[in-house]
Amino acid sequence: MLTRRSFSKALAAAPFIARAQQSSSAPRARIKIDTERVIGDIDPKIYGNFIEHLGRCIDDGIFKENSPLSDSNGFRRDILDAARKLNVTLIRWPGGNFSSNYHWRDGIGPRDRRPPRLEMAWGTVESNRFGTHEFMQYAEMLGAEPYICVNLGTGTWTEAQQWVEYVNGKEDTEVTRLRRQNGRRDPWKVTYWGLGNEMDGGWQMGHRDGEEYSKFALEAAKLMKWTDPSIKLIAAGSSNFAPGADWIGWNRTVMNYLKNHADYLSLHMYVGNPTNNFPEFMASSLELQDRIKISEGVINAAVSSLTPRRKVHIAWDEYNVWYRARGEGREKGRNILEEHYNLEDALVVATFLNSSVNNAHIIKIANMAQLVNVIAPIFSNDKGIYLQTIYYPLQLFANNTRGKALQLYVDSPKYRSRQFDEVPYLDSSASLDNGSLVINVVNRHGDQAVETDFELEDKQFAGPVQVAEVNGPDIKSANDFTSSPVKAVTRSVAAESKRLRYSFPPHSYTMLKTKLA
Ligand code: AHR
């Protein structure tokens, strides 16, 4: 986290922030906070991440054997340090599309004896030197809960079931003996297991239609839960939102079959700004909100026939900005999906994080895709790393926005986008944790500050408000190995007993944190 000293230094280096605070003709907004208006408990697992055998995420990313920057196991120390600061709560592996042809037995046993295999999702050869034991060790070093996605593409029911047995089995069986032989005596107790990845997409190895997938996943789910009844299963919901794809129908079918077995319905969403339209891009989270609400309705409809009702939540287990490093010719080989993020991307990510908090009652898992190099907040080369713009909102949310999500009353000026009549310039969320209030605000306005009056309905400010602002000279500003114009800059402001006036600079994400009495 940033210290007071580092924020005043950084503030001095960022005069654009001070100027924005002085604007007198700014549009105005009002935000009321009532701490009894609770949306739900924020599940820490909404601050998850994802590592896939894709490009330079694992191989030549987090895992680089024989590098002076790596430890004796091959894990890059500098990347691990930066990842730890993101407070990653849940780490998904091995894919992604990769998982749909991954046979876990290839990745166990002595590293030098593991078979290299043709990797068809992303067009490389998979060495299998990073497998189940390496993943479990990495998750432990990161301090994150592991989440394993099984192969329901080219894999079998038995393969999925035996992976659970290998990882979690207590009994003395041929499979658990194998684990012990490979150096792990005790079960790891992995709770979160994915029932395949993006099975609704024609690009997926082993793609099936909704009925076929659901029937296949149901049998896998039964065997996996009979092996370890304590596990939680994530069913592959919609990822294919292409025109003509019946994404709602897919979720309905999956839920109808799996309502008694799935604990989460997975959703994926990637967005971009291919037409270079900032206001349009900044409205992406409204579409996300639609998809959440519709999926919530589908889940509720499916479980409404159950007595007692089961809780099925949304696992939004892949999200990010991804469009430049995308498409034909950019998705096969080693240096692929390497997006270089700018300020506007970071703001969109902040609005997505606001959406997770504002839907805290139903979104209980979210994983940014991915951790390093591949559409990622951390970027590395042989010599070091830099932090991409999207690192900062994730870091601020994951380290501060905890506890209860609060329903805010927001009266913000609005604009019209191609898809939505009313897009509020201010996008916000709030949390309350042990008397500590956190408010996250994105100003979607490209060139005007929004002066905002905060009113506390039932509490009082009890001390200064700590401010962390992610901004930069321009919406296209980006970081690289030599400079970081986009980062979090912190300072502190005073509040009156129940009121605070704050001017949110154009194209900014701001986190306000204070104690309440
Ligand atoms: O995260 C990159 C890819 O995006 C994943 O492998 C896949 O699940 C999605 O299409």
Side-chain angles (χ1 to χ4, degrees), residues 49 123 132 153 155 211 218 221 320 339 365 375 378 454 457 502:
N49 218 296
T132 301
E211 291 274 330
L218 176 61
N320 212 337
E339 287 273 351
I365 284 179
I375 45 174
I378 302 166
F454 288 93
E457 296 291 293
Y502 195 85

Side-chain angles (χ1 to χ4, degrees), residues 76-257:
R76 276 273 298 255
R77 280 187 247 98
D78 51 349
I79 293 175
L80 183 63
D81 282 351
R84 280 185 176 139
K85 292 186 185 125
L86 281 177
N87 213 349
V88 179
T89 48
L90 180 75
I91 186 91
R92 180 172 181 253
W93 171 82
N97 297 345
F98 172 83
S99 60
S100 293
N101 191 36
Y102 180 61
H103 301 284
W104 63 269
R105 282 175 192 263
D106 288 343
I108 56 171
R111 275 188 200 167
D112 289 336
R113 283 199 236 134
R114 298 184 196 166
R117 300 258 184 230
L118 202 58
E119 202 294 286
M120 289 170 288
W122 305 108
T124 53
V125 170
E126 172 52 46
S127 70
N128 280 305
R129 295 180 69 83
F130 186 102
T132 301
H133 291 251
E134 286 77 14
F135 170 63
M136 291 308 303
Q137 194 179 357
Y138 198 73
E140 197 177 306
M141 288 167 75
L142 190 57
E145 279 227 47
Y147 163 9
I148 295 178
C149 180
V150 304
N151 172 1
L152 292 193
T154 65
T156 64
W157 295 321
T158 304
E159 201 177 353
Q161 176 274 317
Q162 290 192 341
W163 203 0
V164 178
E165 186 180 343
Y166 185 84
V167 171
N168 287 359
K170 296 193 218 51
E171 295 81 3
D172 181 26
T173 66
E174 191 219 17
V175 175
T176 58
R177 277 184 198 172
L178 194 55
R179 183 188 71 219
R180 285 187 204 102
Q181 206 178 301
N182 289 331
R184 175 75 190 192
R185 197 193 58 186
D186 296 328
W188 279 289
K189 300 188 186 148
V190 171
T191 303
Y192 300 95
W193 293 82
L195 293 168
N197 174 72
E198 295 192 351
M199 299 309 299
D200 58 337
W203 58 86
Q204 203 64 215
M205 295 179 281
H207 160 65
R208 293 165 163 84
D209 70 24
E211 291 274 330
E212 288 167 346
Y213 164 71
S214 303
K215 288 180 182 168
F216 191 71
L218 176 61
E219 297 310 307
K222 277 158 53 181
L223 299 189
M224 290 165 77
K225 282 212 169 174
W226 288 343
T227 304
D228 180 353
S230 73
I231 63 173
K232 304 278 181 209
L233 294 176
I234 297 110
S238 306
S239 69
N240 188 357
F241 301 96
D246 179 11
W247 71 269
I248 302 171
W250 174 277
N251 282 345
R252 200 181 294 121
T253 307
V254 170
M255 281 308 303
N256 281 343
Y257 278 94

Side-chain angles (χ1 to χ4, degrees), residues 50 52 54 96-98 122 197-198 203 268 270 318 322 337 369-370 375:
F50 172 34
E52 177 170 5
L54 191 184
N97 297 345
F98 172 83
W122 305 108
N197 174 72
E198 295 192 351
W203 58 86
H268 290 180
Y270 293 101
E318 285 187 31
W322 173 24
L337 276 68
Q370 302 190 3
I375 45 174

